[in-house]
Amino acid sequence: MKLLISLLSALVLSQSVLAEPQAKPAQPGLKQAYASHFLIGTALSQGQIEGQDQAALAAREVVQQHFNALTAENVMKWEELQPAEGQFNFGPADALLRLAKQNNASLIGHTLMWHQQTPAWVFTGPDGKPASKALVLQRLTSHINQVMGRYKGQVKGWDVLNEALNEDGTLRDSPWRQILGDDYIATVYQLAHAADPAAELYYNDYNMNNPEKRQGAIRIVQQLQKAGIPISGIGMQGHYGLDYPDLQQVEDSIVAFAATGVQVMITELDITVLPRVDDKAIGADISLNQQLQQQFNPYSQGLPAEVAKLQQERFSGLFRIFLRHSDKISRVTLWGVNDQQSWRNDWPMRGRTDYALLFDRQNQPKAVVNALLQLAAEATR
Ligand code: XIL
């Protein structure tokens, strides 16, 4: 009888508790947990920026709770901002700036100079042949002045130059370098500094753990420093997998980059759980575009718990390193909000089902989020 009464009263109690309007449990966001260490960023698709549908709105709630630095996944690239000469399309980038302000988040500019997602007209002369150095220089100057001018004082920092290095640390033979010559790097940083003297200026690339590429990045920074041209930081993109890269190499790069006197950022972090298609698929060469082969797409019906666990351990291993070097690291940005949006579903092979980020296809936090919150709490104590 006693038991029955206590059971009944427990029931009544729980119902009355349920009847009370409940505030959502105040789970701290990643941005709060990491506030004393570094910014926690994410990259937004155009749909998310424009709040196109329910999924986009749900993603924006995640952004509000967890992220305090925003990068445009695409809408601030050259082909989006100036698809045809003199025709600027600032709408989506303006919307991202508004979103950043609403969320009290830093806006990161990505990217001013890249050999990808730059329209062919930039490198083409009026006669259809490769444009002259003078013409390309004039177009570069105009693009930087228009774009950086518009957002002057509102962008924390720009990925001025993206992916200028080969894996062996030599300079990539991009159209920029071919047309402008080797001093194109000094030129673009000078232009950027003149357009917005207060903005931080970064060099950004993938596979920056690779010791040869690491040396190449250090050379770029030191040459700029020697010439008295401002450079504020190095971005390590961080498109990783379950079995690469060697975490020791990641840590060594962080230490070596910081030793040049600039800040280090992880700018595009994601961890694919899918089998590697080939060795070129280490890194982030966006020109890779293989057709779907089902043997490389094992988790289209869901992710086995043990694989999710491996990914969580990998993220945790990385964040332990980031926390250990938080005096050198100013920001860690994930390349997307949720698994649905991630470019890794389509790179290097189209149409796979990947699980590369921290929030699932319904924008729910994966277990890894709690693990990262805990790591921050332990490091903060
Ligand atoms: C990717 C985007 O995520 C995709 O949506 C787009 O189709 C291709 O570019 N390195 C970079 C990013 O610097 O801009 C790339 O983003 C991924 C590799």
Side-chain angles (χ1 to χ4, degrees):
M1 186 63 185
K2 242 182 166 178
L3 184 68
L4 190 67
I5 289 173
S6 63
L7 270 178
L8 274 175
S9 60
L11 191 69
V12 169
L13 197 68
S14 69
Q15 277 182 341
S16 69
V17 168
L18 278 180
E20 295 277 312
Q22 289 276 299
K24 267 194 188 165
Q27 196 213 22
L30 289 167
K31 65 178 180 188
Q32 221 176 310
Y34 281 87
S36 62
H37 303 290
F38 35 74
L39 295 173
I40 297 280
T42 190
L44 296 177
S45 70
Q46 181 160 359
Q48 290 168 337
I49 291 166
E50 293 176 342
Q52 265 169 6
D53 50 24
Q54 283 308 315
L57 295 175
R60 290 204 332 197
E61 279 187 31
V62 174
V63 170
Q64 194 184 0
Q65 189 181 357
H66 292 282
F67 296 105
N68 51 12
L70 305 185
T71 309
E73 191 180 352
N74 287 299
V75 305
M76 292 176 86
K77 292 173 180 172
W78 193 311
E79 68 179 10
E80 300 283 335
L81 286 178
Q82 195 185 178
E85 188 156 22
Q87 285 178 24
F88 286 87
N89 172 29
F90 286 119
D94 288 355
L96 181 60
L97 174 61
R98 282 197 296 276
L99 202 61
K101 283 186 177 157
Q102 278 164 22
N103 283 301
N104 232 337
S106 298
L107 179 60
I108 307 300
H110 176 80
T111 175
L112 295 170
M113 184 186 248
W114 192 17
H115 63 286
Q116 300 283 7
Q117 296 184 273
T118 302
W121 67 259
V122 176
F123 307 114
T124 311
D127 53 2
K129 298 208 178 104
S132 67
K133 176 170 176 172
L135 183 56
V136 173
L137 203 54
Q138 180 231 307
R139 287 170 172 165
L140 178 67
T141 308
S142 147
H143 186 80
I144 288 184
N145 286 344
Q146 294 279 338
V147 172
M148 289 185 77
R150 185 177 185 90
Y151 302 114
K152 195 170 175 168
Q154 322 222 52
V155 169
K156 179 179 170 61
W158 282 92
D159 291 336
V160 175
L161 177 58
N162 201 28
E163 301 179 357
L165 291 167
N166 296 315
E167 291 309 297
D168 67 359
T170 58
L171 289 183
R172 183 191 290 278
D173 206 17
S174 71
W176 291 114
R177 180 177 178 226
Q178 282 170 12
I179 298 174
L180 298 180
D182 275 1
D183 59 350
Y184 83 100
I185 298 184
T187 303
V188 71
Y189 282 87
Q190 262 163 338
L191 287 172
H193 181 59
D196 185 355
E200 296 180 352
L201 307 179
Y202 314 132
Y203 174 70
N204 193 53
D205 211 327
Y206 60 82
N207 286 349
M208 295 281 264
N209 54 284
N210 168 356
E212 293 185 311
K213 207 164 183 176
R214 177 195 302 151
Q215 287 314 314
I218 290 173
R219 273 195 295 276
I220 288 179
V221 169
Q222 289 180 337
Q223 277 167 14
L224 289 169
Q225 288 172 332
K226 222 164 90 195
I229 302 168
I231 167 126
S232 338
I234 297 186
M236 304 171 67
Q237 289 184 4
H239 297 291
Y240 297 152
L242 293 181
D243 60 353
Y244 68 89
D246 174 356
L247 295 192
Q248 187 58 55
Q249 287 190 349
V250 173
E251 182 162 13
D252 291 349
S253 285
I254 293 169
V255 172
F257 291 152
T260 68
V262 300
Q263 50 177 292
V264 183
M265 289 148 290
I266 314 301
T267 54
E268 305 183 13
L269 183 60
D270 51 29
I271 301 181
T272 180
V273 298
L274 298 180
R276 199 185 313 155
V277 174
D278 60 37
D279 279 350
K280 277 191 291 189
I282 291 184
D285 173 0
I286 74 161
S287 68
L288 302 181
N289 184 13
Q290 297 201 31
Q291 251 186 343
L292 179 62
Q293 293 169 55
Q294 281 304 346
Q295 79 262 29
F296 291 108
N297 188 28
Y299 309 131
S300 58
Q301 301 306 314
L303 188 64
E306 67 270 17
V307 182
K309 188 93 183 92
L310 287 177
Q311 189 197 38
Q312 177 176 326
E313 280 162 14
R314 193 101 183 124
F315 268 120
S316 298
L318 282 163
F319 271 78
R320 270 193 210 100
I321 293 173
F322 302 157
L323 283 165
R324 193 151 62 235
H325 297 287
S326 65
D327 58 330
K328 311 171 184 66
I329 294 178
S330 54
R331 169 170 57 96
V332 175
T333 286
L334 279 293
W335 201 240
V337 180
N338 62 60
D339 288 343
Q340 181 65 38
Q341 159 203 4
S342 169
W343 79 303
R344 304 225 53 169
N345 294 303
D346 293 301
W347 182 90
M349 183 178 275
R350 269 171 285 146
R352 296 196 293 175
T353 304
D354 207 340
Y355 300 80
L357 294 168
L358 302 181
F359 295 83
D360 71 15
R361 285 177 160 68
Q362 277 72 48
N363 286 295
Q364 294 306 306
K366 305 201 293 199
V368 59
V369 172
N370 256 329
L372 298 187
L373 288 171
Q374 218 164 344
L375 281 182
E378 283 160 20
T380 311
R381 267 204 295 273

